[in-house]
Amino acid sequence: MPLGETGARVFPLILGGAEFGWHVDLDAAHRILDAYYERGGNALNTSDAYAAGRSEHIIGAWMSRRAVRDDIVLGVRVGTNPDHPGLGPVNLIRAVEASLMRLDTDRIDVLYLDATGDSAASLEDTLATAEWLIESGKVRAIGSLGLSASQLVEARILASAGYPRLMVLDVPYNVLRQGEFDGDLKLVAGAQGIAVTPSQALEHGYLAGAHRSRAQVAGSVRGSQLAAAMNRRGTRTLRAMDRIAAELSIPTSAVAIAWLLTQRTVVAPIVNVYAVAHVDELMQGVGAKLSRSQARRDRAGSPVARILC
């Protein structure tokens, strides 16, 4: 599928590297990457803050070993690494240079500017620095995370003055988490032709269906994230997804992916996995087709068939 106006084409499921170097070691990560690539996947997403840069090292080593860099659309998020925090000109350049070194590549296909932790940097200064990175060949296209609808409008005005356009948007979005994207942000993204690559497609893993009660999750950060979804709405949503999964003979996690791919402006969700088996499960969501009754919202704006409200 075309990734907006970047000129790149991506598989409708982007493999994220958030677990690489943290819960997934190098050998296991390379097996996951092999499985994804061999099944037709061609888009990877990582961050300079994942596992203190180890995620980038792992992905870079895999691309080098497999000699597939030219086949891969590589997205990198910068802005939250404690060594190069924020999106100011100096730290932005340093962050990109450090990522290129860890990834063992000369370019980043989509540089996601993560504004979630930086309220000080001027958008104009950030885009001016991004312009230099593009002209130098280190970056091909610009994406964003954490910008408001009004900031996207401001960025478009700056683009009309010659600054680079924001062409891709990462936003946490799934069948349970819709408020952050639905509304003005979605309208602006659609009007500007911005390709949306939503993260948190499985709501920290809850929508995979493996964990359904608080007794199953430990008192870790991930356990707390899972527990937050284990409320009445989350339980009803998961049960409805189970029924759809049974109707389509696919895993529940694949239903979450299929639902996202029915949403206007969404090009490819970003998913982070722990095992090769997860790749196989999620890939089934790409080929699945939800019926109108399975994918529609009711008049109150509730997701996936009225039962998921």
Side-chain angles (χ1 to χ4, degrees):
M1 297 181 64
L3 186 61
E5 298 180 11
T6 65
R9 296 186 66 86
V10 298
F11 188 78
L13 190 69
I14 299 171
L15 183 64
E19 305 297 337
F20 297 169
W22 184 27
H23 290 116
V24 181
D25 64 19
L26 183 144
D27 289 340
H30 282 196
R31 288 193 294 272
I32 290 170
L33 287 160
D34 284 342
Y36 172 74
Y37 180 71
E38 290 163 3
R39 288 158 180 75
N42 75 327
L44 304 179
N45 182 277
T46 186
S47 167
D48 65 347
Y50 291 162
R54 292 191 297 277
S55 173
E56 291 179 319
H57 276 298
I58 287 170
I59 290 173
W62 176 80
M63 291 191 299
S64 179
R65 178 177 67 83
R66 290 292 299 258
V68 295
R69 177 64 188 94
D70 291 342
D71 300 333
I72 298 297
V73 178
L74 180 62
V76 178
R77 184 194 302 177
V78 297
T80 58
N81 187 305
D83 293 332
H84 313 292
L87 299 173
V90 173
N91 276 345
L92 180 53
I93 291 173
R94 288 176 176 172
V96 169
E97 294 286 2
S99 287
L100 289 172
M101 185 175 296
R102 286 189 292 265
L103 287 158
D104 191 23
T105 186
D106 61 350
R107 69 200 183 276
I108 293 169
D109 297 308
V110 180
L111 181 69
Y112 288 84
L113 304 170
D114 188 343
T116 56
D118 188 353
S119 58
S122 158
L123 184 56
E124 183 173 4
D125 288 345
T126 297
L127 291 178
T129 307
E131 181 179 22
W132 180 84
L133 290 167
I134 291 172
E135 290 175 349
S136 66
K138 299 176 188 295
V139 171
R140 289 189 169 174
I142 302 297
S144 69
L145 170 69
L147 294 182
S148 65
S150 61
Q151 287 174 311
L152 289 183
V153 172
E154 179 187 355
R156 186 57 178 266
I157 293 171
L158 289 169
S160 68
Y163 291 97
R165 280 190 59 194
L166 293 175
M167 297 183 179
V168 188
L169 176 67
D170 176 1
V171 60
Y173 185 50
N174 59 54
V175 70
L176 277 178
R177 186 190 298 198
Q178 300 177 47
E180 189 171 340
F181 180 53
D182 281 354
D184 290 345
L185 193 59
K186 188 173 186 177
L187 289 172
V188 172
Q192 294 187 8
I194 296 175
V196 178
T197 56
S199 53
Q200 298 302 335
L202 298 179
E203 189 59 29
H204 302 291
Y206 177 71
L207 294 176
H211 301 93
R212 296 174 183 258
S213 71
R214 287 180 171 84
Q216 289 181 286
V217 299
S220 62
V221 173
R222 179 58 52 83
S224 298
Q225 292 169 335
L226 285 165
M230 293 175 182
N231 50 36
R232 183 180 179 186
R233 180 170 180 263
T235 299
R236 291 165 61 193
T237 298
L238 204 51
R239 287 175 180 168
M241 291 174 65
D242 288 340
R243 287 194 284 274
I244 295 171
E247 292 169 4
L248 299 177
S249 298
I250 60 175
T252 300
S253 58
V255 175
I257 300 302
W259 181 83
L260 278 169
L261 291 173
T262 68
Q263 306 306 302
R264 189 172 65 87
T265 75
V266 170
V267 172
I270 300 169
V271 294
N272 301 294
V273 304
Y274 296 85
V276 169
H278 299 157
V279 177
D280 294 328
E281 291 176 3
L282 293 167
M283 286 285 194
Q284 295 180 55
V286 173
K289 300 297 182 185
L290 301 186
S291 67
R292 288 186 178 181
S293 63
Q294 290 167 338
R296 73 171 181 257
R297 299 166 182 242
D298 65 15
R299 284 179 291 182
S302 301
V304 186
R306 194 170 53 186
I307 196 167
L308 296 190
C309 62

